Amino acid sequence: MKTFCGRANPITGALDWVEESEEYDYHQEIARSCYADMLHDKDRNEKYQQGIRAAVSRVKVRGERAIILDIGTGTGLLSMMASSAGADYCYAVEVFKPMAEAAIQIVERNGFADKIKIINKHSTEVTVGPDGDMQQRANILVTELFDTELIGEGALPSYEHAHLYLVQEGCEAVPHRATVYAQLVQSEQLWSWAQLLPMQVGDRRLLPPPSMGRCAGAPSVCDIQLSQVPPDTFTALSPLCTMFSVDFSQHVSSAPASYSFRFQALASGQAQAVLSWWDIDMDPDGTIVCSMAPSWTYQDPRSYPWRDHWMQSVYFLPGEQKVSEGEELSLRVSHDDYSLWYSLQQGGKMEVVPSRPYCSCQAHLVWTRPRFGELNDPRQTETYVRALQSVLSADSVCLSVSDGSLLPVFAHLLGQGFHCTASCTSITACEKIKSSVLNLRLVVALVCLSQVSVLIGEPHFSTSLLPWHSLFFWYCRTALAQLLQPGAVILPRSATLHMVAVEFRDLWRIRAPCGLCEGFDVRPMDEMIQRSLDFRESREAEPHYLWEYPCRALTQPCAVMTFDFTQFVPEQPISSQGSVSIVRSGRCHGVVLWIEYQLTDDITASMGLIRPVSEQGVCQWSPHQKQGVYFFSSPRDTVGDGQAAVSYNLTFEPSIGDIRMQYSVTSDP
């Protein structure tokens, strides 16, 4: 049987549904999972183990048999911990079939096949009784059902069902409770991800239309590595607020609810965003705590337990609210069964519980949060405005090819412009900006009254996943050749693919095999993940926002392939081979790839490094773009004496619009 999978098509700029083998879908799911990251999370593992031991001990002290229900067992690790702690029997539930099969192997390999039963079902389908999946209700509930938002993976409905049908009244629970914390802040950096802000275009001030200012924005949580957002980039307007707790040992409700925390404003400013995280108490007394707090809340930030499967959350208020130091405020959090949202009430008045926010301006349906940040970046705006000023004149006929781009607006302010876009929602959002600010009728056509003298693009396309997917601009430029005047200006003129070999501080964990985890052999999971990586993923780069994941450059950045937009897309492949010496000591985990655009002869725009690499190899990455990361299957320790090198063999295939790549670390003879 075949399966249809969505893949970005760099040639058409669309998301194509392509037919893959029946194995592809779950191979991709496994390859991109966070199973390894979770098992490398020693803090999480140790806290769960301590909590499980304590829960089993409490049950045994009461003279009862310890029967475990482990929902979302994954590898079976928590059930094996429970069995080792003296549990009499464990029912381990795992809905994902490949993972359940791996768990069976792991349980058998570690000698627990007679103590642990793997149930390949969703927990809401599990039955109890003589002929059921479980012979009896459990008296210890062990779960790992959480995401960065705590409840986004359906924890509340799963707990609700478990207490009704699968566990005993008054059961022990590990974790015992979860508590959500929040802090109200003013942050221009974070707010730039939520709303379109005024911007300077030459000597003109471009203001967003009022409808965008009134829009509550995207309802979904923004999950990030908040440790990479320094405290000096925001102003705390509230203390750390304890918003609500959930006791998992009692009946849990998935019904909508709302909670408030009253406080006096710590400072005057614009209330814009809420920083939020949670912790879990593994025992009733709260002596075993696993916290998701960012590193800058720790007395020693170096003791912060890095993890990527659980991060921190940023929620944006429906609109900015001016607050004064000492003012009485109430921060409210509301939730349904899968998501949270925040609102701020001033003057101590308790208003009607606000409904879940939604986008009314359509811009939040077009632009992601990083895209909002990119559009609001004054340095990037200034770069593109300078480039446009150097090529536009009063009689220019300008055609822009990008999704949801403001370049046509800039071009109109500086000269003249028509706009071509590939997305209907992009058209709607940009139309609002144009009609509100410029009273300019949006023209979407491929046939212009005059031939185009300037073809422009950022380029940005909403379907692009990897940096080189934006080469769709090159295909558009080729297709539009008959509309271009002889000698028409193409902006950008070219794109160059750059690479640098790196040592990641933490990100390597998502790809590193585990072997032994807390003394348990989980190699069947490593083998399962490697098989899935070998199916396709190990031969491809994957996209990451590297500003969230610190790394050191072990080689000098270098250009490895150039695409000349002044020429047509070639019919034959473009190949590039070579090597780059490793000049800094460290463990080489892989290669980072990004695009730099040559807008004009002397103006460039980098989608990767935004500063030169420091002498120590510290890298600063664009916060608006994802870079491509090619992980080595076996990291290599190097001394940085120039004797070792990273070899590359790249081929751009015009027929598919993608780059085939091979990398390896070699030593000079």
Side-chain angles (χ1 to χ4, degrees):
M1 188 177 79
K2 300 289 186 178
T3 184
F4 286 96
C5 299
R7 293 181 70 87
N9 186 332
I11 296 178
T12 65
L15 185 67
D16 287 353
W17 290 95
V18 297
E19 192 177 61
E20 297 279 6
S21 73
E22 61 181 347
E23 297 180 325
Y24 173 77
D25 196 34
Y26 79 77
H27 275 304
Q28 185 182 60
E29 178 74 17
I30 294 168
R32 296 182 181 180
S33 69
C34 292
Y35 292 122
D37 174 32
M38 287 187 282
L39 295 184
H40 281 297
D41 187 348
K42 191 168 182 61
D43 178 70
R44 162 194 177 271
N45 298 340
E46 290 179 345
K47 300 294 175 56
Y48 262 102
Q49 190 162 38
Q50 294 169 22
I52 289 170
R53 285 174 178 168
V56 171
S57 177
R58 290 193 298 274
V59 169
K60 292 290 187 179
V61 166
R62 297 197 294 264
E64 303 174 18
R65 296 177 72 241
I67 307 299
I68 308 290
L69 172 60
D70 176 8
I71 300 179
T73 193
T75 60
L77 175 67
L78 302 185
S79 287
M80 292 189 294
M81 288 179 175
S83 294
S84 297
D88 294 280
Y89 202 77
C90 300
Y91 296 101
V93 181
E94 175 56 50
V95 68
F96 188 41
K97 184 176 181 180
M99 195 69 248
E101 292 172 347
I104 292 172
Q105 296 178 44
I106 292 170
V107 165
E108 290 177 348
R109 178 171 294 196
N110 287 276
F112 294 108
D114 62 333
K115 302 286 291 289
I116 300 173
K117 178 182 179 181
I118 305 297
I119 303 172
N120 181 207
K121 288 184 176 181
H122 193 283
S123 65
T124 57
E125 299 173 345
V126 172
T127 57
V128 179
D131 299 321
D133 301 305
M134 300 171 59
Q135 294 297 299
Q136 62 187 99
R137 289 186 177 229
N139 55 7
I140 301 178
L141 177 58
V142 177
T143 60
E144 208 280 53
L145 298 172
F146 314 116
D147 67 350
T148 294
E149 201 173 13
L150 183 67
I151 65 173
E153 291 184 0
L156 296 182
S158 295
Y159 271 110
E160 185 175 45
H161 177 272
H163 277 288
L164 288 173
Y165 302 106
L166 304 178
V167 298
Q168 298 175 16
E169 186 79 22
C171 71
E172 300 287 344
V174 182
H176 182 83
R177 77 176 63 84
T179 303
V180 173
Y181 302 92
Q183 187 167 43
L184 183 69
V185 301
Q186 172 180 310
S187 171
E188 296 304 320
Q189 175 189 350
L190 297 178
W191 189 243
S192 72
W193 300 350
Q195 298 287 349
L196 192 64
L197 305 177
M199 60 189 69
Q200 195 68 34
V201 181
D203 59 357
R204 302 282 295 275
R205 185 76 167 165
L206 186 62
L207 301 176
S211 61
M212 286 189 177
R214 293 190 297 268
C215 178
S220 58
V221 63
C222 178
D223 53 341
I224 63 172
Q225 291 285 356
L226 204 53
S227 296
Q228 299 307 312
V229 180
D232 60 6
T233 63
F234 61 84
T235 300
L237 302 179
S238 78
L240 186 62
C241 307
T242 302
M243 299 307 301
F244 68 95
S245 294
V246 182
D247 185 342
F248 297 127
S249 70
Q250 304 296 322
H251 284 285
V252 174
S253 173
S254 63
S258 184
Y259 309 88
S260 294
F261 187 95
R262 292 178 178 274
F263 62 93
Q264 290 184 337
L266 299 180
S268 299
Q270 293 292 120
Q272 297 167 325
V274 175
L275 313 183
S276 182
W277 57 86
W278 48 266
D279 63 28
I280 43 179
D281 295 331
M282 296 298 183
D283 64 321
D285 296 332
T287 59
I288 308 169
V289 182
C290 186
S291 173
M292 304 309 121
S295 62
W296 37 261
T297 65
Y298 284 67
Q299 188 171 6
D300 180 6
R302 293 173 299 180
S303 65
Y304 166 71
W306 184 89
R307 48 177 69 95
D308 202 48
H309 58 104
W310 294 330
M311 296 186 283
Q312 296 80 37
S313 301
V314 177
Y315 298 88
F316 298 101
L317 296 181
E320 290 183 293
Q321 293 178 236
K322 186 176 181 179
V323 301
S324 301
E325 183 177 355
E327 181 181 356
E328 292 286 340
L329 301 172
S330 178
L331 184 64
R332 182 187 291 270
V333 61
S334 304
H335 73 77
D336 52 23
D337 49 353
Y338 283 94
S339 60
L340 308 176
W341 61 93
Y342 284 83
S343 59
L344 181 66
Q345 297 173 348
Q346 296 178 273
K349 294 184 296 183
M350 298 301 294
E351 299 175 1
V352 177
V353 176
S355 59
R356 192 167 187 261
Y358 68 94
C359 173
S360 59
C361 72
Q362 298 195 40
H364 299 88
L365 305 178
V366 178
W367 297 324
T368 63
R369 291 193 173 96
R371 179 60 172 161
F372 268 99
E374 185 173 34
L375 293 172
N376 286 322
D377 188 337
R379 290 173 299 180
Q380 178 147 316
T381 297
E382 192 270 339
T383 296
Y384 278 92
V385 167
R386 281 196 297 116
L388 289 171
Q389 286 174 327
S390 70
V391 300
L392 291 176
S393 60
D395 59 352
S396 293
V397 177
C398 179
L399 177 64
S400 172
V401 180
S402 280
D403 272 353
S405 176
L406 296 183
L407 288 190
V409 181
F410 298 168
H412 177 77
L413 291 174
L414 300 169
Q416 295 293 327
F418 294 111
H419 179 210
C420 170
T421 183
S423 167
C424 291
T425 48
S426 298
I427 293 170
T428 304
C430 290
E431 174 75 17
K432 288 187 177 183
I433 296 173
K434 286 171 173 282
S435 61
S436 172
V437 180
L438 305 173
N439 293 316
L440 173 67
R441 180 175 178 270
L442 179 66
V443 179
V444 183
L446 294 181
V447 180
C448 303
L449 297 177
S450 305
Q451 282 194 308
V452 173
S453 60
V454 182
L455 179 67
I456 61 176
E458 297 184 45
H460 171 84
F461 302 101
S462 58
T463 55
S464 296
L465 299 177
L466 289 160
W468 46 92
H469 288 170
S470 288
L471 292 178
F472 175 54
F473 176 81
W474 200 8
Y475 290 87
C476 291
R477 175 262 180 272
T478 301
L480 294 168
Q482 292 184 345
L483 297 180
L484 304 181
Q485 295 179 9
V489 174
I490 311 295
L491 188 159
R493 297 169 55 98
S494 63
T496 303
L497 182 67
H498 290 252
M499 64 162 274
V500 64
V502 300
E503 174 186 55
F504 285 110
R505 190 171 74 188
D506 299 298
L507 190 61
W508 60 270
R509 302 172 196 268
I510 70 172
R511 285 291 169 266
C514 295
L516 294 178
C517 180
E518 307 306 322
F520 300 102
D521 186 348
V522 296
R523 283 176 293 181
M525 186 210 67
D526 294 337
E527 295 161 2
M528 176 191 71
I529 292 176
Q530 191 57 53
R531 285 194 299 270
S532 292
L533 287 169
D534 291 342
F535 189 80
R536 176 176 290 171
E537 299 289 325
S538 64
R539 302 187 299 275
E540 298 180 342
E542 56 186 73
H544 289 282
Y545 287 111
L546 289 187
W547 72 269
E548 295 185 71
Y549 306 104
C551 63
R552 290 177 56 246
L554 301 183
T555 67
Q556 298 297 344
C558 67
V560 292
M561 188 174 285
T562 297
F563 312 95
D564 186 354
F565 295 161
T566 65
Q567 305 297 317
F568 296 165
V569 175
E571 295 182 359
Q572 300 302 316
I574 302 174
S575 297
S576 177
Q577 300 86 32
S579 62
V580 188
S581 296
I582 296 178
V583 296
R584 296 183 184 89
S585 62
R587 172 163 290 188
C588 189
H589 292 118
V591 172
V592 177
L593 301 113
W594 70 97
I595 291 283
E596 289 188 7
Y597 293 107
Q598 193 75 33
L599 302 182
T600 64
D601 288 340
D602 57 352
I603 301 176
T604 61
S606 175
M607 305 296 111
L609 287 173
I610 57 175
R611 297 283 188 278
V613 173
S614 74
E615 186 176 339
Q616 294 76 30
V618 176
C619 302
Q620 285 187 268
W621 301 100
S622 167
H624 314 311
Q625 297 282 342
K626 288 183 178 181
Q627 291 74 45
V629 179
Y630 184 100
F631 286 100
F632 292 139
S633 57
S634 299
R636 175 80 171 270
D637 291 320
T638 61
V639 296
D641 59 1
Q643 297 301 304
V646 175
S647 298
Y648 60 88
N649 187 342
L650 308 177
T651 302
F652 172 68
E653 298 280 0
S655 61
I656 61 174
D658 212 346
I659 298 176
R660 303 190 189 280
M661 56 187 65
Q662 292 181 333
Y663 291 94
S664 61
V665 179
T666 59
S667 297
D668 292 338

